[in-house]
Amino acid sequence: MTSHPLAQFPPGIAYIGGEFVPMSEAKISVLDWGFLRSDATYDVVHVWRGRFFRLDKHMERFLTSIDKLRMTLPFGPDRLEDILKECVRRAELDDAYVEMVLTRGVSPTFSRDPRDAVNTFIAFAIPFGWVANEEQRNRGIDLHLADVERIPPSAVDPTVKNYHWLDLVTGLYQAYDAGAENVLLQDGAGNIAEGPGFNLFAVADGKVTTPDAGVLQGITRGTALELLAEMGVEARAAPLPAEALRQADETFITSTAGGIMPVRAVDERTFPAGAPGPVTERVRALYWDKHSDPDWTTPVD
Ligand SMILES: *Cc1c(COP(=O)(O)O)cnc(C)c1O
């Protein structure tokens, strides 16, 4: 087998074409619409110390997204769960990043009609990964508010987890140019949207706001809202103007890839309550505590 001399594959196991294979062998056709048109949906669930976190929520979102894109999973949810578990078992990972993907697939005649394509399912388990590295998680990540607009919900439904990332990647380069570590995009009205694979929360006067529209409804976002309610902190999904973010006391981001992570600054503004601020610190601790709660987790075995 030949491979790109620079290609480094993480350890891990994929399920593709009905087989479990090492990551280096997990390949799709260049004619797959998932590749040629970003015509796909996916979901990512994580495993922590041998247990999936909120697997039911991730599977539900994945199945709903498939319906919205008018695709069909070639088997039922029980088989989906078995495949995800088997990827993790074979990969022998205690902490894993587990992705499930359904692409439009290839149409046998390469016709331009998406209804002709045969949908392709792929899953894989690789080592757990973080949006923010360890140093950033300890002292808060520095974000840049880009002037790139997040793809509007009237164009692409953001509640379907998707690979339309050119706006996010363009923004990331702006952030690097500005000396920041990651990026936030806004909508056309100047409200905060989201970043590459994460949602944002701002805390002001003890009240917490996360953008309500134009974002993926992250499972970690939903979890943070539940945990804040449990803590007795007032939290809501509502428009968050860029100006309100600049006035916030503390800010954090949420993602399956890292959970709840503090933000130190957005551009020139360092948040006065510090990073992690007191609310971030409490909700983050509760988030990790829940990883051993049988109601919120599913053992791999
Ligand atoms: C996956 C993702 C998130 C975070 O969602 P989680 O379910 O919490 O991991 C946020 N925004 C975008 C664009 C994403 O793709």
Side-chain angles (χ1 to χ4, degrees), residues 1-4 7-16 20-28 124-126:
M1 196 191 82
T2 58
S3 63
H4 191 281
Q8 292 280 331
F9 290 96
I13 294 292
Y15 176 86
I16 184 165
F20 293 94
V21 298
M23 286 310 293
S24 57
E25 289 169 30
K27 294 177 177 174
I28 61 160
F124 57 87
I126 56 175

Side-chain angles (χ1 to χ4, degrees), residues 12 47 71 83 102 108 133 154 210 225 233 241 263 266 282:
V47 170
M71 300 201 293
I83 291 170
L102 192 69
N133 66 30
S154 54
T210 189
L225 288 169
V233 174
V263 177
V266 173
R282 283 170 61 209

Side-chain angles (χ1 to χ4, degrees), residues 131-132 136-137 139-143 181-182 253 262-265:
V131 166
Q136 293 165 351
R137 298 197 301 278
R139 50 97 166 135
I141 190 167
D142 292 335
L143 300 181
E181 295 164 333
N182 215 316
I253 58 174
V263 177
R264 178 166 68 179

Side-chain angles (χ1 to χ4, degrees), residues 208 222-236 283 286:
V208 186
T223 297
L225 288 169
E226 280 179 66
L227 296 178
L228 289 162
E230 201 174 307
M231 285 160 48
V233 174
E234 200 180 308
R236 59 183 191 147
V283 71
L286 199 50

Side-chain angles (χ1 to χ4, degrees), residues 42 44 58 61 150 161-162 165 168 194-195 197-199 216-221 254-257:
Y42 75 112
V44 178
H58 288 277
R61 182 173 65 184
R150 183 68 175 124
K161 198 168 168 76
N162 66 66
W165 272 50
L168 296 164
E194 61 188 337
F198 60 82
N199 295 110
L216 178 78
Q217 292 176 358
I219 305 300
T220 322
R221 171 183 177 273
T254 64
S255 172
T256 294

Side-chain angles (χ1 to χ4, degrees), residues 44-62:
V44 178
V45 60
H46 72 279
V47 170
W48 194 253
R49 297 187 179 152
R51 308 179 75 88
F52 284 96
F53 189 65
R54 314 212 84 175
L55 178 59
D56 51 339
K57 300 250 177 222
H58 288 277
M59 287 185 17
E60 188 184 307
R61 182 173 65 184
F62 184 55

